[in-house]
Amino acid sequence: MFETIILILDATLRVSTPLILAALAGLFSERSGIVDIGLEGKMLAGAFAAAAAAAVFGSAWIGLMFAILASVALALVHGFACITHRGDHIVSGVAINTIVAGLTVTLGLDWFDLGGQTPALSGDGRFTSITLPFADALADVPVMGLIYSELISGHNILVYLAFAFVPATYWVVYKTRFGLRLRAVGENPHAVDTAGISVAFVRYRAVIICGILCGLAGAYLSTAHNAGFLKDMSAGKGYMALAALIFGKWRPVPVLLACLLFGFLDAVAVRMQGVALPGIGEIPVQAIEVLPYVLTVLLLAGFIGKAVGPKAIGKPYVKERA
């Protein structure tokens, strides 16, 4: 029983990783006042770019670089539309998601002729698991040995980076000058402008950080969690990350916990396939898979209190003339 719990928690960490990266990406963007529905599209673009580059060059690290470049490029397009031209944030994000969903399949068909997929990755083309020191030696130790060898050890580097980015994000947002300016432009951009700080420059930096983190999330999907790109492989994770961001009220640690909750429910759904419960029988896996979405609706409906975002979020900033 204990081993089953550890295995479910281990799967939770793996499934939660892209959600954490994408949610933190959204945190930077939305803290600056830029709504980012396009997390899904940037993640999907990153997944395709990473898998395609890794297949061509045989290196997961080169794939990661291309994933970040692709995602940052889309983030800059979103920034250009919403910051420079003060366009509608939702329309821009939806447009990115729609274009990327079709473009990745089209490029996959043209480049690899595998039905929109990329070639299967192996060897250096994937991020493989890392065995931490003494993990094998401690595997037989009761309780703590299993926790260390199965739950803590054995993940790839992107999993460890995702969890390391949570305290890093907290430090950047709440303990640095950039973080202070980031929060300020999301609350009162006119006051920031009056202080002589460029609102556009701060917001562009925020969307670039958002692009980097979405690129990492996409690369994880195709070169770590899976062995190649599949059509629509992000499967709504960008929207779930956005829900986790709202659920966590735009704060790093609550956002992490929300992502872990969604990941846990997803991991349980996988483990429950074909399992018959006493007195209930076999539960359709679809009923379990829908739980994160139902939970999101219920919680955001008021069971966790009102989630109030930054005051200037989604509002075009027009510089006041003297």
Side-chain angles (χ1 to χ4, degrees), residues 57-318:
F57 296 102
S59 171
W61 289 103
I62 294 178
L64 177 63
M65 180 183 70
F66 274 86
I68 291 173
L69 288 175
S71 183
V72 168
L74 290 172
L76 289 174
V77 169
H78 185 57
F80 184 69
C82 300
I83 301 171
T84 302
H85 290 283
R86 299 188 289 274
D88 188 283
H89 300 198
I90 303 298
V91 172
S92 175
V94 171
I96 288 174
N97 291 343
T98 305
I99 291 171
V100 171
L103 188 61
T104 51
V105 176
T106 302
L107 291 177
L109 284 168
D110 185 60
W111 292 352
F112 303 108
D113 197 22
L114 294 172
Q117 303 178 17
T118 59
L121 303 175
S122 60
D124 292 338
R126 294 192 66 196
F127 288 103
T128 54
S129 300
I130 298 173
T131 302
L132 298 180
F134 310 112
D136 294 333
L138 296 174
D140 295 329
V141 176
V143 185
M144 292 307 298
L146 187 62
I147 291 175
Y148 181 71
S149 63
E150 291 289 342
L151 185 58
I152 299 177
S153 179
H155 300 285
N156 63 74
I157 191 170
L158 296 182
V159 176
Y160 296 116
L161 280 177
F163 284 88
F165 281 146
V166 176
T169 297
Y170 178 87
W171 180 76
V172 169
V173 172
Y174 293 105
K175 303 295 182 181
T176 66
R177 179 180 298 179
F178 169 71
L180 176 62
R181 292 176 176 178
L182 178 76
R183 288 179 285 128
V185 297
E187 295 291 339
N188 192 339
H190 292 287
V192 175
D193 188 44
T194 301
I197 299 169
S198 172
V199 173
F201 183 52
V202 174
R203 287 181 168 176
Y204 265 110
R205 282 188 288 173
V207 298
I208 288 172
I209 295 172
C210 174
I212 292 171
L213 291 173
C214 280
L216 288 168
Y220 174 81
L221 288 176
S222 62
T223 60
H225 194 61
N226 295 284
F229 177 82
L230 302 172
K231 178 184 177 183
D232 295 329
M233 72 181 307
S234 53
K237 288 182 175 60
Y239 298 111
M240 289 189 67
L242 191 62
L245 178 63
I246 299 170
F247 183 10
K249 299 182 179 180
W250 295 269
R251 293 178 295 179
V253 175
V255 166
L256 167 66
L257 296 177
C259 291
L260 288 174
L261 174 60
F262 293 154
F264 174 75
L265 292 174
D266 199 358
V268 169
V270 174
R271 297 289 298 185
M272 292 296 291
Q273 291 186 26
V275 176
L277 299 178
I280 299 177
E282 185 175 332
I283 301 177
V285 67
Q286 292 84 357
I288 302 175
E289 288 177 341
V290 78
L291 284 179
Y293 304 96
V294 174
L295 183 62
T296 300
V297 172
L298 292 176
L299 292 174
L300 296 182
F303 291 96
I304 60 167
K306 188 177 181 180
V308 180
K311 293 179 181 178
I313 190 169
K315 299 177 181 177
Y317 173 66
V318 181

Side-chain angles (χ1 to χ4, degrees), residues 28-46:
F28 277 99
S29 181
E30 299 207 353
R31 275 287 189 175
S32 74
I34 305 299
V35 177
D36 203 343
I37 298 293
L39 296 175
E40 176 82 4
K42 289 194 285 289
M43 193 188 308
L44 188 61

